[in-house]
Amino acid sequence: RMINAVDYLAPACSASEPQDSYLLSNVDENGDITELHNGFVTEKKLSIEDVQNFYHISNIGYQRNLEGHIFQISSSDVTGTVEWVAINDNALSVFVPYYSMLTTDVYDALKLSTAEAEFVTEAPESGVYYPTTVNMRIDGERVAVEGYMVLPENWAESVYWTNDALSNTVLYNGLDEETVASVYSSVYDLQAKVNADFAAIDPATLNSETATAWSMAQSAAVHAATLELFNSIAE
């Protein structure tokens, strides 16, 4: 029997519902091997927007995300698998779709290698930085040290650092509630535009060249919009 974390939901269910209904299993009631199944019944078919919105739940999408991937699989055709990719804080970044079986390249700013961000204890006189706390080992003990994270000089050329700048500015630079709400709204709107543009595609018209070019252009547009959004709130 195959079991995963959903087992822990069972004790909270009513006594009239058998615990086995909440197991992920490949064995039926007769002990025969079956396809993987469980007792959950969904209220509706999940949309891509439903799944994207999961990343707006605390501790699913947050500032320590490196990247996020959503695989949307509809068939075995070359256009039947779509990988939606978001970089850095998934609650404040936009998922961009790539046709995994057709893609031959990605947007340059996703591949850019930069210097590392630098942690300092005194506020820098220039550059892009945000307040943070870093755990350091001092005299054999782990100590929380307050300071600032300074982004590399060419941070704006990188999707990762651009999203990092936006996220940490929103979360830690003491912006007022109206400004924070406006940023989240702008990210939602940008995601909605990407989703609408993707829905308008006729997959039958795509090949490796056109699918790759479309996704790269979307990534570039999202990067530019994110940078513009950061600049609008940066002091």
Side-chain angles (χ1 to χ4, degrees):
R1 182 177 290 270
M2 299 176 63
I3 301 173
N4 73 358
V6 297
D7 280 325
Y8 296 103
L9 297 174
C13 301
S14 67
S16 63
E17 297 175 317
Q19 180 170 327
D20 278 0
S21 294
Y22 296 88
L23 301 179
L24 184 64
S25 175
N26 66 336
V27 180
D28 66 16
E29 64 273 13
N30 299 317
D32 296 325
I33 301 298
T34 67
E35 293 184 355
L36 198 62
H37 63 276
N38 59 47
F40 290 106
V41 178
T42 58
E43 294 182 352
K44 66 170 186 173
K45 183 178 180 180
L46 292 177
S47 67
I48 187 61
E49 289 82 6
D50 290 328
V51 180
Q52 289 166 347
N53 286 337
F54 287 148
Y55 290 89
H56 292 271
I57 298 173
S58 177
N59 293 327
I60 296 179
Y62 69 132
Q63 77 275 14
R64 293 190 182 275
N65 292 140
L66 176 60
E67 54 193 62
H69 302 261
I70 301 170
F71 285 89
Q72 187 178 17
I73 302 173
S74 58
S75 71
S76 59
D77 296 337
V78 291
T79 58
T81 298
V82 179
E83 181 180 4
W84 296 76
V85 182
I87 303 299
N88 203 276
D89 183 349
N90 295 164
L92 276 165
S93 59
V94 174
F95 283 90
V96 176
Y98 279 81
Y99 285 94
S100 303
M101 298 175 69
L102 288 175
T103 297
T104 58
D105 201 358
V106 297
Y107 175 48
D108 285 345
L110 289 169
K111 302 181 291 183
L112 179 67
S113 178
T114 70
E116 294 182 2
E118 181 184 5
F119 176 75
V120 297
T121 55
E122 300 291 335
E125 295 182 358
S126 61
V128 173
Y129 59 91
Y130 51 81
T132 189
T133 302
V134 171
N135 289 321
M136 293 184 172
R137 191 167 293 278
I138 301 177
D139 296 330
E141 297 184 2
R142 290 180 65 83
V143 178
V145 179
E146 294 185 358
Y148 302 86
M149 192 64 70
V150 185
L151 300 193
E153 185 175 347
N154 61 337
W155 65 271
E157 299 173 21
S158 161
V159 170
Y160 179 86
W161 288 124
T162 299
N163 289 0
D164 185 77
L166 176 66
S167 171
N168 283 285
T169 297
V170 168
L171 294 174
Y172 302 120
N173 273 24
L175 303 179
D176 60 78
E177 292 184 2
E178 183 178 355
T179 300
V180 170
S182 176
V183 172
Y184 277 97
S185 178
S186 295
V187 172
Y188 271 115
D189 290 345
L190 188 56
Q191 182 69 75
K193 183 180 185 308
V194 172
N195 292 355
D197 289 347
F198 175 73
I201 294 176
D202 179 1
T205 65
L206 296 176
N207 56 36
S208 289
E209 182 178 356
T210 56
T212 299
W214 186 90
S215 293
M216 291 175 68
Q218 287 286 325
S219 290
V222 168
H223 182 198
T226 304
L227 183 58
E228 182 179 356
L229 186 56
F230 169 78
N231 287 334
S232 72
I233 61 172
E235 295 182 357

